[in-house]
Amino acid sequence: WAFRPLIRLAHEAGDRAKVVALGERAAALPFDPAERRAFLVAAAEHAPEERAIGLYRDLFDEAPGDRDVAARLFALHEGRGEGDALIAIRGQQIDTASDPRERVELRLDLAARLAAAKRGDAAVVVLRTSLAESPGDDATVTALGDLLEAEGQLADLAALWEEEAARREALGDGNGAATAWTRAAVVSERRLGD
């Protein structure tokens, strides 16, 4: 199979269209899945933007856990300002991520993108899901608190700090509990003032 050297020669000659054609043709042959993916990645790297998005989307749908493909697809959509596509990609990544820490990071990014898209209620759900899976994650608690405040959901914000205070008390973190109780009290006073 002479596809690899042909693709390399086309790449060296700067013939992007030929690299795409050869990569797609090679991927259609009965190679093992890893080689087929490598040919499609080579094609996507040299394809015009719209075609590259299609190729990366197919690869991503096949294996959402492929971080390299996900990053390339994400960058293309981000460069075009396609927020809904970015939100969908993050959702798929969360669904397939096996590492809880990675899911927390992905959910934080997803929530920020949802909030920026004026979908605060959905962002709150994402962050609450993250806290249910990783209770007390500081970045998630902070993001949820900021979002609840921005959305004017003061009752929920006070409840968040009360829950966090109780959780920290149960863990023996007296300073953390005191800080959270103080925050809950400040929010409750603001609610009474409104």
Side-chain angles (χ1 to χ4, degrees):
W1 304 92
F3 281 102
R4 286 197 188 284
L6 289 173
I7 289 172
R8 184 177 39 77
L9 289 171
H11 171 74
E12 289 170 359
D15 190 344
R16 299 176 70 81
K18 189 165 192 152
V19 172
V20 174
L22 288 168
E24 289 182 315
R25 193 168 341 143
L29 295 173
F31 287 107
D32 70 73
E35 276 198 272
R36 185 179 98 48
R37 286 183 70 79
F39 286 129
L40 287 175
V41 167
E45 288 173 347
H46 293 82
E49 187 176 64
E50 197 65 39
R51 183 68 189 126
I53 287 173
L55 290 167
Y56 283 130
R57 170 48 71 185
D58 291 345
L59 289 164
F60 179 72
D61 287 344
E62 246 179 46
D66 185 331
R67 289 186 176 138
D68 186 46
V69 166
R72 291 173 190 209
L73 179 62
F74 199 84
L76 286 168
H77 282 298
E78 195 163 43
R80 294 165 61 130
E82 297 173 342
D84 288 342
L86 298 173
I87 288 168
I89 291 167
R90 283 296 184 249
Q92 281 182 265
Q93 287 178 299
I94 291 164
D95 290 344
T96 60
S98 59
D99 177 42
R101 185 74 226 150
E102 182 182 3
R103 283 192 301 275
V104 165
E105 294 301 323
L106 291 168
R107 283 188 182 116
L108 284 167
D109 183 70
L110 175 58
R113 291 176 189 284
L114 287 166
K118 307 288 187 234
R119 293 168 57 189
D121 288 346
V124 167
V125 170
V126 167
L127 292 172
R128 287 197 184 280
T129 301
S130 193
L131 276 180
E133 183 176 294
S134 298
D137 178 72
D138 288 335
T140 304
V141 170
T142 299
L144 181 56
D146 291 347
L147 183 59
L148 291 171
E149 186 161 4
E151 295 284 313
Q153 297 178 23
L154 297 182
D156 289 340
L157 179 59
L160 170 69
W161 290 121
E162 289 168 4
E163 291 164 13
E164 186 61 13
R167 188 190 67 76
R168 287 181 184 254
E169 274 182 357
L171 293 174
D173 178 6
N175 290 337
T179 300
W181 281 123
T182 301
R183 287 182 169 184
V186 168
V187 172
S188 293
E189 282 181 28
R190 275 185 36 213
R191 281 181 51 216
L192 289 175
D194 291 345

